[in-house]
Structures are given as C-alpha cells and as structure tokens.
Amino acid sequence: MPEPQTTGEARPRPRVTIVVPTYKEVESLPHLIERVAKVRAEAGLDIDMLIMDDDSRDGSVELLAARPEEWVQLVVRTSDRGLSQAVLDGARRARGDYLVCMDADLSHPPEVLPAMLAKLDGGADFVLGSRYVSGGTTSHDWGFLRWANSRVATLLAMPLTSVRDPMSGFFAMRRSTFELGRDFNPVGYKIGLELIVKCGCERVVELPIHFEDRRFGKSKLTLHQQMLYLQHLRRLYVFKFGAWTQLMQFLVVGGLGTIVNLVALSALLAVAVPQRPAIAGAIFVAMCFNFVLNRRFSFEHTRHRPWPRQFVGFVAASSIGALINYATTLFVAGHLPGLRVQVAALLGIAVGTLFNFTASRYLVFRGTHIRVE
C-alpha cells in the first residue's frame, strides 16, 4: 500500500486485522502465517491476525502457543459454530481500521493484500479477491462439476450484486463499513455476500487472484452447505426486496399447490369418491400443502409461533380468497360478455391470490421485522 503524502506529521499506519475462520486446519496454519508474515514485513503493514477456530481439537492450540508471532491470536469457539458466524465474531473482536477475511487452506494469496488495501484507500467500500475477472484463475485440478457449481451459485446471486465473484471468501473492508451493517443472520459459508448486501456496499472492487486448491486437510464444502447457501440467498432476497420476495415465494407455493390439488383430485376420483367430496378433499389437501410450505419458506420468521392457530387462520383466509376468486370471475364474465370465461377465471385467480397473500402476511403469519420497500 503506497505511503500517504504528508506535509506535517506522518499519519499513523492503519492497522489491519485478518480474520481466518478455521476447522481442522492445523497443517495449513504454519504456511499461512509465514506467508502473511512476509507480506507484513515487506509492505510495512501493521497486521494482526485472529484465527477463529471452531473447537477443532486438532493441535491448533498447541501449535499457536509454540509460535513466536505475538500478532497472531487464536480464539477457540465452542458455541454458535460455523464459518460465517466465526467471521462475524472475529470482525466484532477486531481492532484494525481495515478488516480482511481469508481462508486458512492457502487458496487465497496474501500477497495481494497491499493492492486490496490500496483500493480501500482509493474509495472502495469492499474489495474482493476474484477468480472471474480478467487475470483471475483457478487451479488446473478444478473439475467441471466444481466449476459449474460455482457458476450456478454466482448466477443465483446476481439480483443481489453485480460483482463477478460474489462467492469469494477473500475480501477486505473498513471496520467502519462493517459497523454500519445490520440484521446479520447468515447460514452456511458465504459471508462476503452477506456483508456486501447488509453493509450497503455500493463501490465493490474485484482484484484478480489465482485461486489455489487446498494442499492440506479436506474440503468443508458438502451438499448440506450448498443447501444452506440457498437458504441464505432467500434470506438476503427478503432483506433486500422485502414483500416482493415473499410474494414470489407465495406464488411458487401456490403453483405447486395447484399441481397437488390436481393430483389429489385425480386420486380420489380414481378410487370412486363422488365428485363433490373429491373436489373438497383435493382443495383441503392443497391447503395443507400450501400452509406447510408457506410457513417453512415464505413466512419463515413466524415458525416459532403455534402452528394450529396459524393453520386455522390460513384455511379461513384461503376460503375467503376462494370466494373472492369465484365472485370476481362471475363479475368479469357478466360485465364483459365477449371475454372468454378462462380469461375471467384468470383475473379471479389473480385477485383471490393477492387477497390470500395479503391476509397471510399481515394476519396469519404477521411479522414486524420484514422490511417492505
């Protein structure tokens, strides 16, 4: 990072805190510390490092105790474990003017730290070490499936940010920017995306890096972690877009419920249930299905409340919505006789669905912390 131009007293060097979340990375830590120490000395940076270890019990405590670097501190975390939670914990403990997050597995090159800090000095809110901008590369042993998985995850995040590599876990920001963040509730391992969205980072700069595959230990990326990423994305969509995201989820659930309705109706008719009871039974099955999915996904923030009361309210609201649908269809068909009845039915469905969503959000699954734009 270039030295600032001064005419009087020299400005104190900004302090940099590197937060490194770890779990069973004892083999990689010595190599990481030595590379950071070299950058620290050559660039003249005031760096301290927080190793946020999720109770690995792999010898990391003994390793760090035996090393001479006083600027490296190990914090053993025994509760609320997880990569994202470890980074947030470390950021809150940090005393540096700048915060840097990087992995311990040597996939992120500490040699680009001076360039990242220079970008922050130049006015950036957030600096990412990126694999997907010009000059960025990945190891040759990356397989197609791993590449495709990363690309799909990136595409899913596009409505949240325009950066090319939002999945990167190597980033830098000012501590003052981090302190502007609110409502942190990440799940999984993509904490960088959480910070970009919830700290309101508008000037995000990507620096090309070579992403090296790990040399020691085993990857922590599992199918469970990928499912958590999807859950995390949904939370960020709700945070950024408010009720519109809930409405889209509600519509998706409603579409799936329509399929369930048709399948249930066909099954009941196939076993010789009379038509009217079969229609009523299929509607009830679809209502139950919609309730479960809406409570689990569209209105997840109310899952801690008793479900029987919510279920009664949901059925009541859906029944009223069905009547509104029916009345709207008859009204449109009666006042516009040249209109096909199917078009009138679609308008009825739209009005009924809007009522169901409004009633569900503000009455059945009422919440107070969802931001509406």
Side-chain angles (χ1 to χ4, degrees), residues 221-237:
L221 181 59
T222 63
L223 179 60
H224 175 65
Q225 288 294 326
Q226 293 174 349
M227 294 300 102
L228 288 179
Y229 171 67
L230 296 178
Q231 183 180 348
H232 188 196
L233 274 184
R234 185 170 55 80
R235 290 184 180 183
L236 291 176
Y237 276 117

Side-chain angles (χ1 to χ4, degrees), residues 336-350:
L336 297 173
L339 196 68
R340 294 179 64 88
V341 68
Q342 290 86 348
V343 177
L346 287 175
L347 292 174
I349 290 171

Side-chain angles (χ1 to χ4, degrees), residues 243-308:
W244 290 109
T245 302
Q246 288 182 313
L247 176 58
M248 290 304 298
Q249 292 178 115
F250 191 86
L251 293 175
V252 170
V253 170
L256 294 174
T258 300
I259 296 174
V260 170
N261 188 324
L262 294 175
V263 171
L265 178 60
S266 299
L268 290 172
L269 293 175
V271 295
V273 175
Q275 187 179 69
R276 289 187 178 182
I279 293 173
I283 290 174
F284 182 74
V285 170
M287 280 186 180
C288 293
F289 174 86
N290 288 359
F291 170 78
V292 171
L293 263 64
N294 278 314
R295 189 171 188 268
R296 176 63 181 84
F297 296 107
S298 306
F299 306 102
E300 180 193 24
H301 58 284
T302 66
R303 287 174 60 195
H304 63 283
R305 299 175 186 172
W307 69 265

Side-chain angles (χ1 to χ4, degrees), residues 124-301:
D125 296 323
F126 199 92
V127 182
L128 276 172
S130 177
R131 298 161 289 184
Y132 301 138
V133 294
S134 178
T137 56
T138 59
S139 292
H140 295 298
D141 54 356
W142 259 41
F144 173 77
L145 290 179
R146 188 174 179 185
W147 176 88
N149 176 72
S150 177
R151 286 298 193 176
V152 170
T154 298
L155 288 173
L156 292 174
M158 284 182 63
L160 298 169
T161 177
S162 61
V163 300
R164 299 284 297 276
D165 193 6
M167 302 298 100
S168 176
F170 186 24
F171 55 83
M173 64 191 305
R174 296 180 189 85
R175 182 155 59 95
S176 57
T177 302
F178 170 75
E179 291 170 348
L180 294 175
R182 61 188 179 89
D183 298 335
F184 294 125
N185 63 343
V187 290
Y189 61 106
K190 294 306 177 187
I191 183 62
L193 185 59
E194 174 92 359
L195 294 174
I196 290 174
V197 172
K198 294 191 175 178
C199 293
C201 298
E202 297 181 355
R203 293 167 294 179
V204 181
V205 174
E206 295 182 85
L207 285 178
I209 65 168
H210 174 68
F211 184 89
E212 186 65 57
D213 205 3
R214 66 165 51 246
R215 292 166 53 191
F216 307 100
K218 297 180 179 179
S219 173
K220 313 304 188 297
L221 181 59
T222 63
L223 179 60
H224 175 65
Q225 288 294 326
Q226 293 174 349
M227 294 300 102
L228 288 179
Y229 171 67
L230 296 178
Q231 183 180 348
H232 188 196
L233 274 184
R234 185 170 55 80
R235 290 184 180 183
L236 291 176
Y237 276 117
V238 171
F239 177 86
K240 187 167 184 177
F241 301 112
W244 290 109
T245 302
Q246 288 182 313
L247 176 58
M248 290 304 298
Q249 292 178 115
F250 191 86
L251 293 175
V252 170
V253 170
L256 294 174
T258 300
I259 296 174
V260 170
N261 188 324
L262 294 175
V263 171
L265 178 60
S266 299
L268 290 172
L269 293 175
V271 295
V273 175
Q275 187 179 69
R276 289 187 178 182
I279 293 173
I283 290 174
F284 182 74
V285 170
M287 280 186 180
C288 293
F289 174 86
N290 288 359
F291 170 78
V292 171
L293 263 64
N294 278 314
R295 189 171 188 268
R296 176 63 181 84
F297 296 107
S298 306
F299 306 102
E300 180 193 24
H301 58 284

